[in-house]
Amino acid sequence: MTTRTYHNPLGYADGVARTDPDPFVLRFRGRYWCYSTGEHGVNLSTSIDLITWHRLGFAFAVPGRAHYWAPCVIYADGLFWMYVSHRPEGCEDPHQEILHVATSPRPDGPFETRRRLFDTFSIDPHVVRDPASGDYVIFYSTNDVTGLDHDGTGTSIVVDRLITLEEPAGSPRPVAVPTLEQELFERNRFGDGRDWYTVEGATYFTHRDQAYLTYSGNAYVGEDYFIGYAHASLTRGPAELEWAKYSRNGEWSPLVRRDNKVEGTGHNSIVLAPNLVDDWIVYHGRDATVPLDPQREERVMRIDPLFYDGGRLTTPAPTSACSPAPPVATFQDDFTEPDLVSGWTVVAGEVTVLPAEGQGPGVLRTGRDLLTLLAHERQLTSHVLEVWVRAERSDAGARFGVIPVFHDRTDYIAVLVDVATSSVELWRRHGDISRSVARAELGRFDPSAWHELRVVRTFDEVMVRLDGMDVLSASTGDDTAGGVGLLSIGTHAEYTALAFTEHLDLWGQQLAHLSRLFRANRPVDVRSDGLAATGRRPLMLESVTHAPGVLFEHEIELIAPSGYAELHPVVIDGTSVVHVRIDRRMCHINLCQDGAPRQVMDFPHPHPRGTVRTIVNPGAVVVRVGENEVALPLEVAGRFGQRVELSGAALRGFRMTSIAESDRR
């Protein structure tokens, strides 16, 4: 078996070297679409794995305009909406850059202008949807906030609500302004004594109960050009959050900055890996070993994994060495084969596989039988599933959806979209009796457009997200292993780009499921903020056994001055043990192999909250804590257990994700 790898900078299928400044990557129907800055138009490339790209040309260009900067593209209401700035051709004043919005029915364009969004300098848009309310907001950069200030003069990031996808509310609020000397763009820029600072390139994303906003500071040609980030507690919608820039003890602490091989590292987007779980950062950089030529574009696209260490972000970026590729799903089907691939069973009705068109995947189409049901044989108790779906509306409406839990044709859980009532409903069928478990209204819904349907199963709980909105979550009463499937009722439905990954993410209220995986040495309460050991007596947790080919994350927090956490993420027959100890000052990683202990790594860990990330493959174990990672040469041929010891510490979260065969080392 050959493990998939990649190395930066990324390449193109035809072998031609290309530049991609300010790369924005959109996931749509199992494909990645990269839109980037271009002198004469918006560059467009596509990929199926985030590694190898195919250049398609320009997605958007307007006669008489040039300098197309930092595009952002979203998919909504059956259209692709591009937000991008440009200025008159021949104009050398960058302050004539103004944001416009354009649309296309296809991700590859061509996009056509709808309107200009602002009348003054405005760049670097990022449009996001609030998954709770469904409202859209726009982050962008402007000079209006601090451009006339005596201190921190320059470009800042603001946020505003969108009344429609082409009409801002007109009440922008600053969220990230210059505060650091490393954000200096140019001294005495205009000859009047004002030093100009720049904070730009916002990218908004969330993880558990935290929101993050990455940004670029300084100038691309500057020594300190970097990617930093701000964070906020996810208590409100993205337009109302209160942000704080991340620093280490009040000092500049960039997420990504230059090294001796790569410089100009900045302007990123964040995108999910093909496994539907892990976040990756996409950014540009240039070769630091080549003299800088300001007249020539030298910024190329790069990617690296993004990690969450408690509430902090870490990444190995910028990397140049060969590294593990973005992980793939446990199972994925683009329906590109003329027949169904192994694992599928048509339980009821008839299905047809339609060939792929252009750069897109194939399509599975159901007949208009009273019931069409397709099931996959993989047995799961916790997983994340994603599929894109659309349907034909008939006089009788349309009903279609997915099956997150399948046992047999009369025993399954279904997530059903009902076009006639514009609703999503969670159904439990057992024998000849079906009952509704939960229901949510959708509002306006066009079944003929492609919709992203994402379902997360956590034992007996099912969460449904449609087009980026959280629509319902409920307990089904069924926590036994089952397959997944697709179904339609009297409806021609089309499915494409289906993938699922065996995955479990316990935090918040779902931490109650810890009792399914661990047993404790004494009674302890699990609360929504974690499982805490506050007394003098340590709390010991011992897990069920696991098979290799899995990733674990233990998020811990030290809550007492003398608190510590000792993790044994791999225990084999009591003789081979991976040992990680974290206290208020240090982290220690040791390996006991066949009874022989060995100290592997010690390093400072001054953060009270952190995450121990462990990848357990048959041939090796990889442990990462904060920015530190080490590979341990431990053979894991069979099942293994875990132990956790907490004293004055708490387990705040636990994650377990299956690693696909092609990604195992």
Side-chain angles (χ1 to χ4, degrees):
M1 178 181 66
T2 301
T3 303
R4 299 182 317 110
T5 60
Y6 80 101
H7 66 83
N8 286 312
L10 301 180
Y12 289 82
D14 59 7
V16 176
R18 296 181 172 89
T19 58
D20 273 299
D22 311 322
F24 179 88
V25 175
L26 170 74
R27 288 179 62 249
F28 177 73
R29 294 181 58 195
R31 300 293 189 269
Y32 295 95
W33 303 83
C34 178
Y35 306 85
S36 67
T37 289
E39 177 71 17
H40 304 292
V42 173
N43 299 317
L44 174 62
S45 304
T46 187
S47 173
I48 62 172
D49 58 9
L50 273 178
I51 301 172
T52 302
W53 292 84
H54 300 261
R55 179 74 100 200
L56 302 181
F58 290 146
F60 177 56
V62 178
R65 308 291 292 185
H67 299 281
Y68 297 80
W69 284 5
C72 163
V73 179
I74 66 168
Y75 173 75
D77 299 328
L79 282 177
F80 295 86
W81 298 75
M82 177 184 289
Y83 302 83
V84 64
S85 66
H86 47 75
R87 63 182 189 252
E89 192 172 15
C91 175
E92 296 303 320
D93 182 3
H95 294 95
Q96 293 301 311
E97 284 281 330
I98 295 176
L99 280 172
H100 294 68
V101 60
T103 57
S104 170
R106 298 171 52 92
D108 52 353
F111 286 78
E112 296 184 358
T113 300
R114 293 181 74 105
R115 60 165 293 187
R116 185 175 63 186
L117 289 179
F118 306 103
D119 293 325
T120 58
F121 175 76
S122 46
I123 61 171
D124 296 3
H126 190 219
V127 174
V128 298
R129 192 178 197 187
D130 183 346
S133 68
D135 296 334
Y136 288 89
V137 304
I138 180 170
F139 294 87
Y140 63 98
S141 295
T142 178
N143 297 337
D144 297 348
V145 176
T146 60
L148 297 178
D149 289 0
H150 294 291
D151 297 319
T153 308
T155 304
S156 302
I157 297 171
V158 299
V159 65
D160 198 4
R161 292 185 305 104
L162 289 174
I163 298 173
T164 68
L165 287 173
E166 54 186 327
E167 184 181 0
S171 301
R173 184 175 67 88
V175 294
V177 301
T179 56
L180 302 170
E181 191 61 26
Q182 290 81 4
E183 293 162 354
L184 177 69
F185 180 88
E186 185 178 346
R187 293 201 180 278
N188 195 22
R189 186 178 187 188
F190 303 108
D192 57 6
R194 286 181 299 162
D195 295 335
W196 193 267
Y197 292 79
T198 294
V199 173
E200 60 186 10
T203 296
Y204 172 91
F205 56 104
T206 64
H207 177 70
R208 291 181 174 168
D209 58 355
Q210 292 290 306
Y212 299 92
L213 189 77
T214 55
Y215 67 90
S216 295
N218 203 282
Y220 152 63
V221 295
E223 177 74 16
D224 289 328
Y225 187 62
F226 71 98
I227 297 173
Y229 71 94
H231 53 96
S233 294
L234 195 56
T235 56
R236 288 171 280 181
E240 289 80 38
L241 295 175
E242 296 297 329
W243 298 92
K245 286 183 183 176
Y246 174 76
S247 64
R248 184 171 298 182
N249 298 323
E251 298 181 356
W252 179 53
S253 183
L255 178 65
V256 183
R257 64 170 302 182
R258 63 164 293 161
D259 62 13
N260 59 358
K261 294 182 179 180
V262 186
E263 65 181 14
T265 51
H267 202 109
N268 71 278
S269 56
I270 305 295
V271 66
L272 274 179
N275 73 343
L276 312 177
V277 173
D278 294 315
D279 285 327
W280 281 62
I281 184 168
V282 186
Y283 61 102
H284 66 227
R286 67 171 297 274
D287 188 344
T289 65
V290 176
L292 175 66
D293 182 357
Q295 304 304 313
R296 186 165 64 94
E297 182 57 73
E298 299 174 321
R299 293 171 291 178
V300 295
M301 180 166 48
R302 310 173 66 88
I303 63 171
D304 279 302
L306 185 69
F307 302 117
Y308 299 90
D309 182 43
R312 299 189 309 134
L313 301 179
T314 69
T315 177
T319 66
S320 300
C322 187
S323 304
V328 298
T330 301
F331 175 82
Q332 56 191 37
D333 194 344
D334 283 346
F335 301 113
T336 54
E337 300 296 327
D339 299 310
L340 290 173
V341 299
S342 176
W344 287 115
T345 298
V346 179
V347 179
E350 295 183 356
V351 299
T352 305
V353 178
L354 306 177
E357 296 181 4
Q359 297 292 330
V363 171
L364 181 139
R365 180 179 173 86
T366 66
R368 289 188 61 181
D369 303 275
L370 182 61
L371 173 67
T372 302
L373 196 158
L374 181 75
H376 192 272
E377 65 183 12
R378 181 67 179 252
Q379 298 292 293
L380 310 162
T381 57
S382 298
H383 62 80
V384 54
L385 179 149
E386 181 182 279
V387 68
W388 290 79
V389 60
R390 65 183 180 184
E392 293 180 4
R393 184 200 300 266
S394 68
D395 293 340
R399 284 189 288 178
F400 55 93
V402 301
I403 298 175
V405 187
F406 179 83
H407 301 299
D408 59 51
R409 64 183 301 152
T410 62
D411 188 1
Y412 56 84
I413 309 291
V415 175
L416 202 60
V417 178
D418 191 328
V419 175
T421 60
S422 190
S423 65
V424 174
E425 202 156 7
L426 187 64
W427 282 90
R428 172 76 191 272
R429 180 175 181 182
H430 190 73
D432 294 327
I433 298 177
S434 299
R435 65 179 177 90
S436 174
V437 176
R439 185 176 183 274
E441 303 290 337
L442 288 180
R444 184 173 60 87
F445 183 81
D446 178 8
S448 65
W450 286 109
H451 296 276
E452 181 189 30
L453 185 56
R454 182 181 177 93
V455 178
V456 178
R457 181 193 181 192
T458 305
F459 298 112
D460 61 345
E461 295 183 39
V462 172
M463 186 276 287
V464 180
R465 177 174 283 195
L466 183 64
D467 296 331
M469 280 195 64
D470 296 330
V471 293
L472 64 82
S473 180
S475 175
T476 65
D478 186 348
D479 62 359
T480 57
V484 300
L486 308 172
L487 84 162
S488 65
I489 299 175
T491 302
H492 280 308
E494 293 184 344
Y495 296 88
T496 186
L498 178 141
F500 61 80
T501 292
E502 191 169 7
H503 173 67
L504 177 69
D505 188 8
L506 301 183
W507 66 280
Q509 298 294 333
Q510 291 187 327
L511 280 167
H513 293 295
L514 276 174
S515 61
R516 300 172 184 268
L517 302 171
F518 293 92
R519 63 176 181 268
N521 65 330
R522 59 182 171 85
V524 62
D525 294 333
V526 179
R527 305 180 187 275
S528 61
D529 62 349
L531 186 154
T534 56
R536 294 184 177 181
R537 182 184 175 192
L539 175 67
M540 308 289 292
L541 303 174
E542 189 165 349
S543 78
V544 299
T545 61
H546 306 279
V550 65
L551 178 151
F552 298 98
E553 286 185 357
H554 299 76
E555 182 179 339
I556 59 96
E557 182 173 7
L558 306 179
I559 55 180
S562 59
Y564 68 87
E566 289 198 7
L567 306 180
H568 300 89
V570 180
V571 179
I572 305 174
D573 297 331
T575 60
S576 294
V577 179
V578 176
H579 176 222
V580 181
R581 178 187 169 96
I582 298 176
D583 57 33
R584 284 281 182 172
R585 298 186 310 106
M586 299 289 292
C587 177
H588 311 270
I589 301 177
N590 301 317
L591 173 64
C592 180
Q593 195 166 10
D594 297 326
R598 178 166 64 92
Q599 182 177 331
V600 176
M601 179 186 292
D602 293 339
F603 52 88
H605 191 274
H607 311 284
R609 192 169 181 176
T611 300
V612 178
R613 175 185 172 95
T614 310
I615 299 175
V616 185
N617 281 310
V621 175
V622 179
V623 178
R624 182 182 181 91
V625 182
E627 295 90 352
N628 300 276
E629 183 173 291
V630 60
L632 306 175
L634 179 63
E635 294 285 340
V636 188
R639 300 189 70 84
F640 62 94
Q642 296 186 335
R643 289 198 299 266
V644 178
E645 179 179 335
L646 303 172
S647 179
L651 181 65
R652 300 298 192 196
F654 176 79
R655 171 190 160 188
M656 182 170 61
T657 305
S658 177
I659 302 171
E661 287 284 344
S662 59
D663 292 331
R664 298 181 185 181
R665 284 178 276 179

